[in-house]
């Protein structure tokens, strides 16, 4: 019985994913490969310990989901190693400089150190809450933690000859790890029953990397502050595009806005709103303060940061307008096409959801197909404009979700009622995440492929896996599926086979199309078959939020 609970389908698929990356790593990335192996072993031992005890009761995780620690801990570090392998090919071909590889190496160590610190924290609290009978996994966890620290120190000591400062680097990693522990505690406490531990870990590490990158980039661009530190000038002095700076400023500003708004409300309640705290007028005033604060953030604070780190010469939003109008026929036509598709689809599916008996899971897959029809033409013809459009869409989603959660008048209740028509078991009244995961699942492979990319299908990883593979697997499995992968699960072998076959068919059509545009590189069909199969099996076995994990796994394997 213990053996069957240990050899789960999800763990086997994740182990194959990590093994494929490790065996593809060149000798120049030996330390990164070794640390990824230790991270995987630590994550697996922690997950086994947690699932074998009652430790999950310490956190209110999403009902029906497993802990997901193994998958959540290795997804982003595995992605970083895949990007390092791809970047090492670019350096060997003299297509990028060595500083790009150094930057990516530091980002990998930041990512893995954040995961390691959270895993060590989980290992510590679960060990003290459990009956301590499973000494083997505890010794394995402690050994992995000690070995990782040794590998990290040795790797930085070797790189110190190239300009890296070992104490500064270790302090930089440690600060990210502490921030990750604090953040995952707040996420699990603020949004109970909204995510598994693995999902929370993925979001936590991603946010820590993004915020840390912003802080370091700001320090690198600020004259007189930290400019002597190799951590900042070497790793974060890389030139960035205007589009990436605009997206980063918008997203981070909106993520920080709820804390700012809460602080402003506390001040105003003490000063002028205490007398009308329970009246309807107070709610309208609070909404007025919300919109004023949001306008100040988006018009003054966020653009000021953008102009600090990037020389725009004009207001960043005026730069966006000029960027769109620089090719008005193509870009405005795309905008009109997107608006028409969104309007027709949303109105149509919203009416169907209220009156039809169609299963919610099938109705939601229509939006996956809508994403394919919207994003594929833009990715082929206007990839840079699509980057900006993804950032704008994500910013709009964040604003609407903040308005929905805070019930800001007059849109809060309307947005809440509208979103309820498209939620499933992974969404709650407290937090709706499905639309975020679909958008980011399509956008992240495209954003990550900016710069050097010798794998033409890599930017399409999210669109192919979610828009085609996941949709076909759900539709075929629901209508025709008979043979199930497990006795308790709903995923069928027929659905998985349909998803894998549909993605391979789409790739066979897409590759010749890309060859007629800008890509002339051949694709290794054996590697492609492995990548499609692993992502399809992960969709079949995982109980985690597949929109978030499958594109990352598929993209990582396509980069190899």
């Amino acid at each position: 019985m213990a053996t069957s609970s240990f050899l789960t389908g999800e763990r086997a698929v994740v182990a194959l994913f990590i093994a494929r990356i490790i065996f593809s790593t060149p000798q120049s990335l030996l330390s990164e490969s070794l640390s990824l192996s230790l991270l995987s072993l630590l994550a697996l031992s922690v997950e086994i310990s947690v699932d074998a005890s009652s430790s999950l009761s310490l956190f209110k995780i999403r009902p029906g989901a497993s802990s997901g620690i193994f998958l959540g801990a290795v997804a982003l570090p595995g992605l970083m190693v895949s990007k390092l392998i791809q970047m090492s090919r670019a350096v060997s071909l003299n297509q990028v400089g060595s500083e790009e590889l150094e930057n990516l190496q530091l980002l990998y160590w930041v990512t893995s150190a954040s995961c390691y610190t959270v895993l060590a924290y989980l290992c510590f609290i679960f060990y003290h809450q459990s009956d301590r009978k499973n000494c083997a996994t505890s010794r394995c966890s402690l050994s992995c933690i000690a070995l990782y620290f040794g590998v990290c120190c040795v790797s930085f000591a070797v790189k110190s000859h190239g300009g890296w400062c070992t104490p500064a680097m270790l302090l930089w990693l440690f600060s990210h790890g502490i921030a990750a522990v604090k953040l995952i505690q707040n996420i699990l406490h603020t949004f109970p029953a909204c995510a598994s531990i693995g999902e929370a870990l993925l979001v936590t590490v991603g946010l820590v990397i993004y915020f840390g990158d912003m802080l370091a980039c700001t320090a690198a661009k600020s004259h007189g502050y930290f400019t002597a530190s190799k951590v900042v000038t070497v790793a974060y002095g890389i030139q960035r595009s205007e589009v990436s700076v605009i997206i980063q400023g918008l997203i981070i500003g909106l993520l920080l806005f709820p804390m700012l708004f809460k602080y402003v409300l506390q001040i105003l309640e003490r000063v002028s709103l205490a007398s009308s705290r329970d009246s309807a007028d107070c709610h309208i005033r609070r909404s007025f303060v919300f919109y004023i604060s949001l306008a100040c953030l988006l018009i003054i604070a966020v653009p000021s940061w953008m102009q600090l780190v990037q020389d725009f010469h004009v207001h960043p939003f005026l730069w966006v307008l000029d960027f769109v109008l620089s090719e008005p026929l193509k870009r405005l036509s795309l905008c009109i096409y997107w608006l028409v598709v969104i309007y027709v689809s949303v109105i149509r599916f919203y009416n169907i959801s209220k009156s039809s008996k169609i299963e919610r899971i099938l109705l939601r897959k229509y939006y996956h197909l809508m994403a394919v029809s919207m994003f594929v033409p833009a990715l082929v013809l206007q990839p840079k404009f699509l980057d900006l459009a993804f950032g704008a869409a994500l910013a709009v989603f964040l604003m609407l979700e903040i308005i929905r959660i805070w019930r800001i008048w007059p849109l809060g209740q309307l947005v809440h009622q509208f979103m309820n028509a498209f939620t499933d078991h992974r969404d709650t009244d407290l937090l709706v995440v499905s639309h975020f995961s679909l958008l980011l699942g399509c956008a992240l492979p495209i954003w990550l492929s900016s710069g050097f990319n010798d794998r033409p299908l890599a930017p399409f990883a999210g669109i192919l896996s979610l828009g085609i593979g996941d949709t076909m697997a759900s539709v075929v499995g629901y209508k025709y599926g008979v043979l199930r992968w497990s006795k308790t699960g709903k995923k069928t072998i027929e659905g998985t086979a349909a998803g894998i076959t549909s993605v391979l068919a789409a790739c066979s059509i897409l590759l010749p199309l890309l060859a007629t545009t800008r890509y002339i590189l051949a694709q290794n069909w054996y590697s492609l078959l492995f990548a499609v199969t692993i992502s399809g099996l992960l969709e079949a076995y995982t109980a985690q939020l597949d929109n978030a994990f499958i594109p990352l796994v598929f993209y990582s394997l396509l980069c190899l």
Side-chain angles (χ1 to χ4, degrees):
M1 189 71 179
T3 304
S4 61
S5 62
F6 172 76
L7 295 175
T8 63
E10 180 180 304
R11 291 173 187 169
V13 173
V14 176
L16 288 174
F17 163 66
I18 293 299
R20 174 73 174 90
I21 295 175
I22 291 174
F23 289 136
S24 301
T25 307
Q27 291 185 352
S28 59
L29 301 175
L30 180 60
S31 58
E32 286 79 7
S33 175
L34 182 58
S35 65
L36 180 61
S37 303
L38 293 172
L39 173 64
S40 304
L41 187 58
L42 174 61
L44 181 60
S45 64
V46 173
E47 180 176 281
I48 293 172
S49 299
V50 171
D51 292 346
S53 64
S54 59
S55 301
L56 279 178
S57 60
L58 296 173
F59 301 104
K60 294 181 180 179
I61 66 172
R62 179 165 57 84
S66 60
S67 64
I69 296 174
F70 188 25
L71 176 59
V74 302
L76 286 179
L79 169 65
M80 288 295 178
V81 174
S82 296
K83 289 295 294 181
L84 281 171
I85 296 171
Q86 186 181 49
M87 191 63 68
S88 64
R89 293 197 300 265
V91 173
S92 63
L93 296 173
N94 295 322
Q95 296 194 17
V96 300
S98 60
E99 67 276 2
E100 294 281 353
L101 183 61
E102 289 184 4
N103 176 43
L104 199 56
Q105 282 179 311
L106 179 57
L107 287 179
Y108 164 75
W109 286 108
V110 166
T111 305
S112 64
S114 300
C115 292
Y116 249 100
T117 309
V118 173
L119 289 175
Y121 161 74
L122 294 175
C123 183
F124 176 78
I125 61 173
F126 290 150
Y127 177 77
H128 283 277
Q129 291 291 331
S130 65
D131 54 10
R132 304 190 185 186
K133 291 181 179 180
N134 199 344
C135 297
T137 54
S138 299
R139 287 195 298 268
C140 178
S141 301
L142 293 176
S143 300
C144 289
I145 294 172
L147 288 173
Y148 172 82
F149 184 75
V151 170
C152 185
C153 291
V154 171
S155 177
F156 283 176
V158 172
K159 290 180 173 61
S160 63
H161 298 289
W164 286 28
C165 180
T166 301
M169 291 294 186
L170 292 176
L171 180 61
W172 185 244
L173 299 188
F174 180 75
S175 63
H176 279 78
I178 296 300
V181 171
K182 294 295 184 182
L183 183 57
I184 196 171
Q185 289 175 339
N186 289 331
I187 289 176
L188 293 174
H189 175 74
T190 307
F191 303 104
C194 291
S196 67
I197 297 178
E199 294 163 355
L201 179 56
L202 179 71
V203 173
T204 295
V205 176
L207 290 178
V208 167
I209 296 171
Y210 211 46
F211 274 84
D213 180 83
M214 182 207 70
L215 292 176
C217 182
T218 305
K221 298 296 182 178
S222 300
H223 298 290
Y225 295 96
F226 308 109
T227 53
S229 175
K230 291 292 184 181
V231 176
V232 175
T233 56
V234 171
Y236 293 93
I238 306 299
Q239 184 67 27
R240 297 158 190 255
S241 68
E242 292 86 351
V243 172
S244 64
V245 171
I246 290 172
I247 294 174
Q248 191 171 25
L250 272 177
I251 301 308
I252 291 181
L254 289 172
L255 289 173
L256 293 175
F257 175 73
M259 293 185 290
L260 172 65
F261 178 58
K262 185 176 181 181
Y263 179 72
V264 171
L265 281 182
Q266 291 175 349
I267 296 177
L268 292 180
E269 285 179 356
R270 294 175 184 175
V271 175
S272 60
L273 300 181
S275 60
S276 59
R277 184 175 300 173
D278 299 327
S279 64
D281 185 57
C282 177
H283 185 63
I284 297 178
R285 289 186 183 182
R286 189 183 74 161
S287 301
F288 180 75
V289 172
F290 174 88
Y291 292 118
I292 293 296
S293 302
L294 183 62
C296 292
L297 176 78
L298 296 180
I299 298 175
I300 300 175
V302 168
S304 299
W305 177 82
M306 295 176 185
Q307 290 182 319
L308 173 65
V309 300
Q310 189 81 24
D311 188 10
F312 281 96
H313 300 292
V314 295
H315 193 281
F317 294 154
L318 293 178
W319 183 92
V320 171
L321 182 62
D322 181 68
F323 174 75
V324 174
L325 296 178
S326 62
E327 295 184 40
L329 182 61
K330 294 180 180 180
R331 292 170 181 172
L332 290 180
S333 299
L334 267 177
C335 291
I336 295 173
Y337 169 68
W338 289 339
L339 290 175
V340 171
V341 171
I342 292 172
Y343 177 78
V344 172
S345 302
V346 168
I347 296 299
R348 174 64 176 166
F349 297 151
Y350 182 69
N351 292 332
I352 292 176
S353 67
K354 294 191 300 182
S355 59
S356 176
K357 296 182 180 180
I358 296 178
E359 285 289 332
R360 184 68 59 88
I361 183 64
L362 297 181
L363 185 63
R364 287 161 52 84
K365 298 307 174 184
Y366 291 137
Y367 281 95
H368 290 219
L369 294 176
M370 183 186 75
V372 175
S373 64
M374 290 176 60
F375 301 148
V376 169
L379 182 54
V380 174
L381 302 175
Q382 287 285 320
K384 191 174 181 181
F385 180 62
L386 182 60
D387 288 348
L388 183 63
F390 273 132
L394 183 57
V396 171
F397 281 1
L398 284 172
M399 284 188 287
L400 291 177
E401 186 66 9
I402 294 171
I403 290 173
R404 188 193 70 84
I405 292 175
W406 286 83
R407 296 294 195 272
I408 301 298
W409 180 87
L411 299 176
Q413 189 61 30
L414 295 175
V415 174
H416 178 69
Q417 292 175 354
F418 179 80
M419 292 304 300
N420 278 341
F422 305 102
T423 57
D424 65 2
H425 64 282
R426 293 168 296 191
D427 298 311
T428 64
D429 288 341
L430 186 60
L431 191 64
V432 179
V433 298
S434 296
H435 57 304
F436 285 104
S437 62
L438 176 59
L439 179 67
L440 286 173
C442 294
L444 283 175
I446 299 173
W447 286 341
L448 291 168
S449 299
S450 60
F452 175 80
N453 177 41
D454 60 348
R455 296 294 184 262
L457 291 177
F460 295 86
I463 299 173
L464 291 172
S465 60
L466 298 181
I468 296 177
D470 188 34
T471 301
M472 291 300 297
S474 297
V475 173
V476 173
Y478 178 78
K479 290 187 175 182
Y480 308 106
V482 176
L483 303 175
R484 301 188 182 277
W485 285 104
S486 63
K487 296 180 180 179
T488 57
K490 297 181 179 180
K491 304 297 178 67
T492 63
I493 297 177
E494 294 87 348
T496 302
I500 294 173
T501 304
S502 62
V503 173
L504 289 174
C507 292
S508 65
I509 298 173
L510 192 57
L511 279 174
L513 177 63
L514 293 174
T516 62
T517 56
R518 65 184 186 276
Y519 288 112
I520 59 175
L521 295 176
Q523 182 74 40
N524 187 331
W525 279 94
Y526 295 105
S527 299
L528 176 61
L529 178 60
F530 182 85
V532 173
T533 303
I534 289 297
S535 60
L537 290 175
L538 182 62
E539 191 275 337
Y541 279 116
T542 185
Q544 307 303 304
L545 189 61
D546 50 4
N547 286 2
F549 287 102
I550 293 176
L552 296 179
V553 170
F554 191 33
Y555 175 82
S556 302
L557 294 174
L558 287 177
C559 287
L560 298 177

